[in-house]
Structure formats: structure tokens, C-alpha cells
Amino acid sequence: MQNLTNYIDEFPDGHPVKVYVEENNLIKELFEELFKTDIRVDFQKFYNIFNQISEVEKHFARKENQLFPYLEKYGWTNPSSGMWAFHDQIRDEIKIARKSIENRDLDNALNDAMIIYNSLSQLILVEEQRLLPNAMNLLNEDDWKEMYEGDKEIGWMLSKTPIRYPEPEQEDYIHPSLDKKKRDLPFSLEDRTHYDEGYLTPEQVNFIFKFLPVDITYVDENDRVVFYNRGDDRVFPRSAGIIGREVKFCHPPKSVDQVLKILEEFKAGRQDTAEFWIQFKGKFIHIRYFAVRDEEKVYKGVIEMSQDVTDIRKLEGDKRLLDWE
């Protein structure tokens, strides 16, 4: 199969395939510069280049969360397991190399960098000779056009943000919150609402709020409580009588002044968050307030979120395996 690099210049600027190859070329250039740098003479330059190479995480994340789902839609699932596992191997190699560099273990740092180079070289070969050519055969033009917003959320390795594909003058820009794209999804959209991304039925929305391990209360721009979630283990009790109530009457007198101060600062745009933590019935409770604003930065209310973080505060180290037995 012909290598993509031989004809990638024929692709329009911003096309996801072209961007992947441009990032691969950047990786090669960075390694060339890295291996020309004497780590004992210019340690900081070596470390800076290594950090640029580590941005390959964005390259991986876009493939895993953007490209692979489209391939799955057309029945090609191998990359979602095999190549993802290879990504994780390289992630581990990068962690090992970073530890060597930060510990000034220079001999091991050079050896670790070479291991990453060999792994990424192999990955690039597979991408450009198999993954991306197959993706071009499977995906249609609308698929490639849909990718930009999701790619933008994750980011790119490149120093300059790629232009939108296709460029805005080629196609009317559709705001991402307005889902006007043709979707081929494995579930019906009947009775579902489109959110910033994704579709949920009212029942699913209720499930999400019920099983979230946090207490959420939403107060609108008129200072009225319009929603709270009914989890089984709420930190602070709520009842249906609170809906429609002015928020200042939902707090004990000793804390009303703070609540009013938060609302005042949020409405004025001077603050966006406020947080507190308290000891409550033998638990450590984290309480946060978030200003809600629309895209024009107009104040639309406040979310109060409370969470029992007693056990979370005790966590140390890593836990990577299940311990259900």
C-alpha cells in the first residue's frame, strides 16, 4: 500500500488525515533535534524537546475518541483494541523516560528516549500504511467534516491550530450545539434531546442525576430554585417544596449573607466560583458554587454542588486493578 507521505500535499489543508501526517512529521523532526542535543551540555533544551514529544498524547486521544468511533461505525474495530493498547504502551514508556529525566539519570534517559523513538516510528508506519489509508476508504466526506469540533476539544501537537475542514467559506458554519448533521447512529433519536454533544431521553437524564455521587441544586437567574437531584445518599436533605422558592430562604440565617454575596459577585461577573468545606456528621463535605453563563456571558444562574469527599481525601498512590473479591 502506498505511503501517505508521498501524496499528502494533495489533501486540503485542515483535513484530519493531513493533520495526523503533519503531526507525524513533527514527531520525526523533534526526535532528530533531540538526538542532536547533548543532554549533559544542554539538559533544559533536551527536556523541552521531550515535553514537546510528549504532546503526542493529543494525537493518541484524537484517534481514540474521534477516529476510532467512526471506524467502528463501519465495522472496523481492530484499532480500538490493538492500536489503543500500543498507545498505552508508549504512554508508559514516556512516563518512565520522564522519571529518568527528572531524576537526572542521564544514561537511562537517553536509552528511554530511544525506546520511545522506536515505538513511535513503528506506530507512524502502521498509521500511514494501514490505519489512515483504510480510514479514507471507509469514511465519507461528511464524516471528515464532522471531526473538527471534537478534535478542537482535545487539541493538536502542532504549534498552529489547523484550519477548519472544510474552510468556513466552503461550507456554512454550523454551531456545535445545533445538531443539524445527518447522523447514522445505532439507536433511535425518538424522544431524545440533543445536548452539547450526545442524545438523552428524559429517563436517562434522571438516571444520570440520580446516580451522580454529588448533590446538585440549580438556582436560575431570578434566584429561584428550579432543580435538585434526588440521589439516595444526599449530603443535605431536599424536598419538592424547595422548587420555586427564593434561594435566600433555603439557607439558615447565619449563612444567608454569604449566599447573597456569592449571587452579587456572580451577577456582576467579578467571580465565577466559590467553595467551602465543612465537617458534617463525621464527614468531610466539599461545597462549590458555579456561575452559569450563556455564550454571550449573560448570567443564567448558579449551580450548588456538595460532595462527601471523606474517602476521597484518604486516597494515595495508584489503584489500577479491581478488588471486588
Side-chain angles (χ1 to χ4, degrees):
M1 189 175 290
Q2 188 178 9
N3 196 308
L4 276 175
T5 54
N6 296 330
Y7 60 96
I8 196 62
D9 288 340
E10 300 174 12
F11 279 69
D13 287 341
H15 191 290
V17 170
K18 186 170 187 176
V19 173
Y20 280 122
V21 174
E22 288 172 342
E23 288 183 329
N24 287 343
N25 292 337
L26 174 62
I27 290 168
K28 297 172 188 176
E29 293 169 6
L30 289 171
F31 270 112
E32 183 177 353
E33 188 176 358
L34 185 80
F35 292 135
K36 287 192 300 185
T37 302
D38 189 333
I39 191 173
R40 292 174 174 81
V41 174
D42 198 340
F43 173 84
Q44 191 59 52
K45 180 181 179 183
F46 187 95
Y47 196 11
N48 290 344
I49 299 170
F50 173 80
N51 283 331
Q52 287 181 272
I53 293 171
S54 299
E55 290 290 290
V56 72
E57 171 60 33
K58 295 175 181 176
H59 185 92
F60 293 167
R62 291 204 322 280
K63 287 164 63 182
E64 294 163 355
N65 295 282
Q66 291 279 102
L67 181 58
F68 291 176
Y70 279 93
L71 298 178
E72 292 163 12
K73 183 173 71 170
Y74 294 103
W76 192 29
T77 60
N78 289 347
S80 301
S81 53
M83 187 167 281
W84 197 321
F86 198 7
H87 291 172
D88 286 343
Q89 173 194 317
I90 297 171
R91 287 176 171 120
D92 289 340
E93 292 169 357
I94 290 173
K95 288 179 184 177
I96 291 169
R98 182 174 299 283
K99 186 174 181 180
S100 296
I101 295 171
E102 291 176 350
N103 290 338
R104 302 274 180 153
D105 185 355
L106 304 186
D107 289 334
N108 275 330
L110 289 169
N111 183 62
D112 295 340
M114 182 57 71
I115 291 172
I116 298 169
Y117 170 75
N118 290 334
S119 294
L120 281 174
S121 297
Q122 179 62 30
L123 182 68
I124 289 171
L125 196 65
V126 175
E127 280 186 11
E128 296 183 0
Q129 292 191 357
R130 178 168 168 76
L131 177 74
L132 295 175
N134 281 354
M136 288 188 298
N137 289 331
L138 289 171
L139 273 59
N140 60 45
E141 187 66 6
D142 286 338
D143 294 330
W144 295 117
K145 290 176 181 179
E146 286 177 7
M147 284 193 189
Y148 187 86
E149 287 301 327
D151 283 355
K152 185 178 179 182
E153 282 188 73
I154 295 168
W156 298 272
M157 288 186 71
L158 306 174
S159 58
K160 185 178 179 182
T161 299
I163 65 171
R164 174 182 292 277
Y165 175 78
E167 293 185 65
E169 58 265 29
Q170 293 175 274
E171 181 178 90
D172 292 335
Y173 173 64
I174 298 175
H175 192 279
S177 67
L178 300 177
D179 191 45
K180 296 181 180 177
K181 304 165 188 170
K182 292 181 179 178
R183 300 279 179 142
D184 183 14
L185 296 168
F187 51 81
S188 170
L189 298 185
E190 186 178 354
D191 296 328
R192 293 176 185 260
T193 299
H194 176 251
Y195 294 88
D196 276 355
E197 192 50 71
Y199 309 81
L200 294 169
T201 65
E203 181 185 45
Q204 289 171 330
V205 173
N206 265 324
F207 283 152
I208 289 171
F209 282 116
K210 180 176 181 179
F211 286 95
L212 277 175
V214 293
D215 295 2
I216 295 175
T217 304
Y218 185 23
V219 178
D220 69 9
E221 64 269 33
N222 299 312
D223 301 340
R224 299 283 178 176
V225 178
V226 295
F227 170 85
Y228 71 91
N229 63 330
R230 276 190 168 175
D232 292 334
D233 298 307
R234 285 193 61 92
V235 176
F236 302 115
R238 293 279 189 267
S239 68
I242 198 176
I243 301 301
R245 193 179 187 190
E246 195 170 350
V247 68
K248 68 180 180 181
F249 297 122
C250 301
H251 293 265
K254 63 181 179 182
S255 62
V256 168
D257 288 346
Q258 285 200 92
V259 172
L260 295 178
K261 179 67 173 176
I262 291 170
L263 294 175
E264 178 186 344
E265 294 297 303
F266 282 4
K267 291 176 181 178
R270 292 187 290 266
Q271 299 291 338
D272 291 308
T273 62
E275 64 178 335
F276 308 90
W277 45 92
I278 62 173
Q279 307 286 337
F280 182 71
K281 296 182 179 180
K283 299 177 180 180
F284 192 93
I285 309 301
H286 190 203
I287 306 166
R288 287 179 286 179
Y289 296 85
F290 302 94
V292 178
R293 306 184 195 283
D294 64 16
E295 294 188 359
E296 283 71 44
K297 305 301 181 184
V298 176
Y299 176 78
K300 291 295 182 179
V302 56
I303 292 174
E304 176 191 309
M305 189 171 80
S306 303
Q307 184 176 12
D308 176 6
V309 295
T310 308
D311 292 333
I312 294 175
R313 295 179 75 217
K314 299 175 184 176
L315 297 178
E316 293 181 348
D318 296 331
K319 178 187 174 185
R320 299 178 181 270
L321 300 175
L322 289 173
D323 58 359
W324 288 348
E325 295 182 0

